């Protein structure tokens, strides 16, 4: 296993190019299962998770080839319908094959994911939604067996709370159902919108993109896709926070600032100066002229999009440990997403957790100091990277395979911004 070493205390400055979004690439890769033929996906990040998803598709008879960031996926010879526990346990998003496999083959066998480092994360919405479309689902031996004779039937499906992959799975299931399906209280995340665009480009008829009500008129057939993955808003947010936390000034490029409404306002609330163009965001220190100064403690509450994203909660917490005040961080999406707190405390952060709320006492004057810490999940790990970059001295982060799931060329990108960071065998 590899670990990441950071010699902290250097400010990050300059430009960093944002990759395609992991959480858009994963459902779009699965959508290629819907119809035979050669599909083209552009701006696809090369990550551990996208490779895992492609391995899963390979096991089902799907072929693929990558040239730079363009992925060609040929799903003509699809001959399997199972996602095994071995794959699903390493990547919960594997459950996204459920909807498209039932739609194409009339059956699927997908392992239940089980709990993970950030919470229980059930898939009951996916299953009850499929049942409403006429699919028979049966749970046995840790797997969900889904099957239907003939086409699915359109229906109204209400989500008790917006679910990103739940909405995506049911979208993919419903595009070829007979009649109209309405998804109510659907997730509004930009990654869902990316999938809607891909499916409509394949001949689907989906209305309501970007709203919590998606109406799908079922079509008889689809054609192969040619679609670009949207920029990764979580990667963009992570670099903005990292630059700010180290007292630097810099720009994230090739991103979509309109996908970061809550984060950019919260960064402004800390006193940081944020400038946006159509495809870039620049962060500058409150005092201007490259002078870093104490940031104001700022509260956040994670919510479904367009609220503050849970996937940027841990990173913002790392920033708040360096602020001049107190900030209250309320996590409402996942019940166990404070695993980074104990690790940040090892770097000197003052944080108290009570249930879903963490209270961070900023330590701008004292700062953080490097230590050995452990990565527990993807976003928790990136908060440790941010804290390590801002801390004085050396930080060693073990189990960095978590980071490789979601950040393309992390070490190269940070190095180009001026960080001293490298990987070593643990
Ligand atoms: N939920 C249920 N039942 C379901 C589905 C969801 O109760 O059947 C609950 C969840 O337990 C959670 C809430 O609904 O409390 C929202 O979960 P959601 O289903 O939206 O999460 P997800 O689709 O499993 C995606 C991202 C996550 C991101 C969340 C929230 C992908 C592949 N994953 O997960 O990304 O945190 O939405 O925005 O899109 C990450 O990239 O690090 C990551 C964890």
């Amino acid at each position: 296993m590899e670990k990441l070493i950071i010699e902290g205390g250097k400010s990050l400055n300059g430009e960093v190019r944002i990759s395609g979004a992991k959480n858009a690439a994963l459902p779009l890769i699965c959508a290629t299962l819907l119809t035979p033929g050669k599909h083209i996906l552009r701006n696809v990040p090369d990550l551990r998770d996208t490779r895992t998803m492609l391995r899963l598709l390979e096991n089902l008879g799907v072929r693929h080839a990558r040239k730079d960031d363009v992925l060609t996926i040929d799903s003509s010879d699809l001959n399997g319908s199972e996602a095994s526990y071995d794959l699903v346990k390493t990547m919960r998003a594997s459950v996204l094959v459920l909807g498209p496999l039932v739609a194409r083959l009339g059956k699927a066998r997908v392992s239940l994911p089980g709990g993970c480092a950030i919470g229980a994360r059930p898939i009951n919405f996916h299953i009850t939604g499929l049942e409403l479309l006429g699919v028979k689902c049966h749970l046995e031996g840790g797997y969900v067996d889904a099957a239907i004779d003939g086409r699915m039937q359109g229906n109204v499906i209400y989500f008790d709370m917006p679910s990103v992959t739940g909405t995506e799975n049911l979208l993919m299931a419903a595009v070829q159902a007979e009649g109209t399906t309405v998804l109510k209280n659907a997730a509004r995340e930009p990654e869902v919108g990316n999938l809607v665009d891909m499916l409509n480009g394949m001949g689907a008829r989906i209305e309501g993109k970007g709203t919590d009500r998606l109406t799908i008129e079922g079509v008889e057939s689809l054609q192969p896709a040619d679609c670009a993955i949207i920029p990764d808003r979580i990667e963009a947010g992570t670099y903005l926070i990292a630059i700010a936390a180290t007292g630097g000034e810099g720009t994230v490029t090739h991103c979509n600032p309109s996908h970061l409404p809550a984060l950019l306002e919260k960064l402004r609330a800390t006193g940081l100066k944020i400038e946006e163009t159509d495809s870039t965001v620049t962060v500058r220190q409150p005092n201007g002229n490259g002078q870093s100064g104490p940031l104001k403690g700022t509260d956040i509450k994670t919510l479904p999009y367009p609220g503050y994203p849970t996937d940027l909660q841990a990173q913002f917490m790392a920033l708040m440990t360096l602020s001049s005040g107190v900030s209250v961080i309320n996590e409402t999406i996942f019940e166990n997403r404070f695993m980074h707190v104990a690790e940040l405390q090892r770097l000197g952060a003052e944080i108290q957790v009570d249930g879903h709320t963490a209270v961070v006492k900023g330590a701008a004057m004292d700062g953080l100091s490097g230590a050995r810490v452990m990565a527990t999940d993807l976003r928790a790990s990136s908060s440790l990277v941010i804290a390590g970059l801002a801390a004085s001295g050396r930080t060693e982060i073990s189990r960095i395979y978590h980071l490789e799931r979601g950040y393309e060329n992390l070490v190269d990108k940070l190095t180009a911004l001026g960080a001293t960071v490298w990987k070593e065998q643990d």
Side-chain angles (χ1 to χ4, degrees):
M1 249 189 276
E2 285 185 316
K3 62 182 175 184
L4 194 73
I5 319 281
I6 302 173
E7 293 287 355
K10 297 190 176 143
S11 70
L12 302 191
N13 293 280
E15 279 190 9
V16 57
R17 182 183 175 136
I18 298 309
S19 302
K22 165 180 87 77
N23 288 347
L26 296 174
L28 269 66
I29 290 172
C30 292
T32 66
L33 295 172
L34 283 169
T35 198
K38 264 196 183 162
H39 303 259
I40 296 172
L41 296 179
R42 303 174 192 278
N43 197 33
V44 184
D46 190 9
L47 299 166
R48 186 182 283 261
D49 272 11
T50 47
R51 288 188 203 167
T52 304
M53 190 60 93
L54 289 169
R55 215 170 60 240
L56 167 52
L57 263 61
E58 244 168 58
N59 290 345
L60 307 177
V62 173
R63 282 166 294 158
H64 58 88
R66 175 186 270 276
K67 188 162 187 309
D68 302 324
D69 63 0
V70 180
L71 194 60
T72 307
I73 301 180
D74 188 341
S75 63
S76 305
D77 298 331
L78 177 70
N79 58 20
S81 57
E82 177 169 326
S84 71
Y85 180 58
D86 288 341
L87 279 169
V88 180
K89 76 169 189 240
T90 64
M91 190 186 64
R92 312 173 55 82
S94 314
V95 77
L96 283 164
V97 298
L98 184 57
L101 284 177
V102 188
R104 169 115 171 245
L105 303 173
K107 62 175 184 174
R109 184 161 195 269
V110 174
S111 170
L112 290 171
C116 77
I118 62 176
R121 303 185 73 186
I123 58 162
N124 53 318
F125 302 161
H126 306 232
I127 294 171
T128 47
L130 283 175
E131 285 176 335
L132 283 167
L133 298 176
V135 178
K136 298 249 178 314
C137 294
H138 175 70
L139 299 184
E140 204 178 282
Y143 281 75
V144 50
D145 274 302
I148 187 165
D149 274 336
R151 280 173 81 184
M152 287 183 233
Q153 301 294 316
N155 207 341
V156 175
I157 299 169
Y158 171 78
F159 288 91
D160 286 338
M161 68 186 284
S163 162
V164 177
T165 51
T167 302
E168 292 164 346
N169 236 338
L170 294 174
L171 265 176
M172 292 188 278
V175 283
Q176 291 175 100
E178 205 170 321
T180 308
T181 300
V182 183
L183 303 183
K184 293 186 176 174
N185 200 24
R188 298 164 60 186
E189 269 69 2
E191 293 75 18
V192 176
N194 203 178
L195 179 64
V196 168
D197 284 340
M198 168 167 170
L199 295 172
N200 281 342
M202 293 167 75
R205 291 175 55 202
I206 306 166
E207 281 179 11
K209 180 185 147 184
T211 73
D212 63 358
R213 185 189 172 100
L214 294 166
T215 305
I216 307 138
E217 295 293 341
V219 294
E220 302 247 336
S221 64
L222 297 169
Q223 67 246 8
D226 185 339
C227 185
I229 311 291
I230 58 171
D232 197 315
R233 63 195 166 99
I234 306 302
E235 189 198 17
T238 302
Y239 281 106
L240 285 171
I241 294 172
I243 292 167
T246 60
E249 300 198 332
T251 302
V252 292
T253 70
H254 299 79
C255 67
N256 187 339
S258 72
H259 291 166
L260 283 163
L263 175 73
L264 298 187
E265 290 320 312
K266 288 296 177 180
L267 291 177
R268 287 188 175 109
T270 69
L272 289 160
K273 298 200 168 66
I274 302 292
E275 293 156 20
E276 302 168 50
T277 70
D278 284 351
S279 61
T280 68
V281 182
T282 300
V283 57
R284 296 191 199 285
Q285 294 296 324
N287 300 341
N289 299 324
Q291 299 292 305
S292 65
L295 303 177
K296 283 187 220 125
T298 300
D299 302 342
I300 57 166
K301 179 175 186 173
T302 64
L303 287 169
Y305 189 84
Y308 190 92
T310 175
D311 288 346
L312 284 171
Q313 176 258 106
Q315 300 89 320
F316 198 82
M317 188 186 292
L319 182 68
M320 287 299 96
T321 66
L322 303 157
S323 77
S324 62
V326 171
S327 54
V328 178
I329 298 194
N330 192 215
E331 172 61 55
T332 77
I333 307 292
F334 293 115
E335 63 273 23
N336 189 24
R337 214 173 194 182
F338 284 141
M339 299 281 279
H340 43 287
V341 168
E343 304 299 312
L344 289 172
Q345 284 167 340
R346 292 180 55 76
L347 300 174
E350 285 189 55
I351 307 168
Q352 277 187 3
V353 175
D354 186 4
H356 291 256
T357 304
V359 177
V360 184
K361 199 167 148 220
M365 296 307 135
D366 304 333
L368 301 174
S369 59
R372 287 177 62 186
V373 290
M374 198 186 290
T376 48
D377 78 73
L378 171 56
R379 309 305 173 183
S381 315
S382 64
S383 83
L384 300 179
V385 172
I386 291 168
L389 289 165
S392 59
R394 174 184 281 224
T395 293
E396 289 189 18
I397 306 175
S398 54
R399 302 200 177 168
I400 55 159
Y401 58 86
H402 289 293
L403 279 167
E404 291 165 354
R405 294 185 49 197
Y407 290 93
E408 194 177 42
N409 300 331
L410 178 76
V411 168
D412 293 346
K413 289 187 184 188
L414 288 174
T415 305
L417 287 169
T420 304
V421 54
W422 68 95
K423 287 184 200 171
E424 270 179 21
Q425 281 304 320
D426 211 353

